[in-house]
Amino acid sequence: FQRGGIALYQAGRVNRFEGTDAPSVQPTSFAQTRDGVIWVTASKSGLYRYERGRWTKITASGAFDGGDAYLAFTDREGTLWL
């Protein structure tokens, strides 16, 4: 992954997302919320969500301005923090 990329290890298998399946980014952090959604931050590329087998880039809406995102984590209550 020298040029970026994302792989998910689940149920004993590695699934590497390539092409249109995933953003071609260099991830800086990953977080999973209680509902099973995986959140990925990527410096200079923003914020991405993986849910039900599909990637979505999060654009400006609500409290997120759609810009750079470097770190994501969830707290004990399950809140996602960026």
Side-chain angles (χ1 to χ4, degrees), residues 4-42:
I6 299 172
L8 175 65
Y9 178 78
Q10 188 175 36
R13 294 180 44 190
V14 175
N15 182 15
R16 183 174 176 166
F17 299 99
E18 298 179 298
T20 59
D21 290 344
S24 179
V25 299
Q26 292 182 331
T28 53
S29 72
F30 295 83
Q32 185 171 19
T33 49
R34 290 182 180 169
D35 57 2
V37 176
I38 297 172
W39 298 86
V40 177
T41 60

